[in-house]
Amino acid sequence: MSSAFVGIIMAIAGYVQANPIQTDASLMSIRSLYSLIPAIIAILIIILLQFFDVEKQLENLRANESIKKMKF
């Protein structure tokens, strides 16, 4: 799926594999795919993790673990 995404972005930017010299748009898309887009995704993940309550999830996991041990 991610390969398809990269291929679509490169096709839109005008990347042609046979060309020894790429257009400015295709070079910019390559740079964006390897730097800008991952940075944006990382920032979004950090923001989303701020809303994830790790302590509450850990308590739930421990409670479920103790229930499973009691059944056996």
Side-chain angles (χ1 to χ4, degrees):
M1 188 166 143
S2 61
S3 297
F5 174 73
V6 171
I8 291 168
I9 297 297
M10 298 299 286
I12 291 171
Y15 176 80
V16 179
Q17 184 177 358
N19 289 351
I21 299 175
Q22 296 298 325
T23 64
D24 289 337
S26 64
L27 292 174
M28 184 59 186
S29 69
I30 292 170
R31 289 184 191 112
S32 296
L33 286 169
Y34 287 100
S35 61
L36 185 62
I37 293 173
I40 291 170
I41 292 171
I43 290 169
L44 288 174
I45 289 172
I46 290 169
I47 291 169
L48 290 174
L49 285 176
Q50 298 301 314
F51 299 106
F52 186 69
D53 190 5
V54 175
E55 296 298 325
K56 182 178 177 181
Q57 295 298 325
L58 184 60
E59 288 175 14
N60 290 340
L61 288 171
R62 287 185 178 157
N64 289 339
E65 181 84 13
S66 64
I67 291 171
K68 287 180 183 177
K69 285 183 180 180
M70 295 171 99
K71 288 183 180 179
F72 292 110

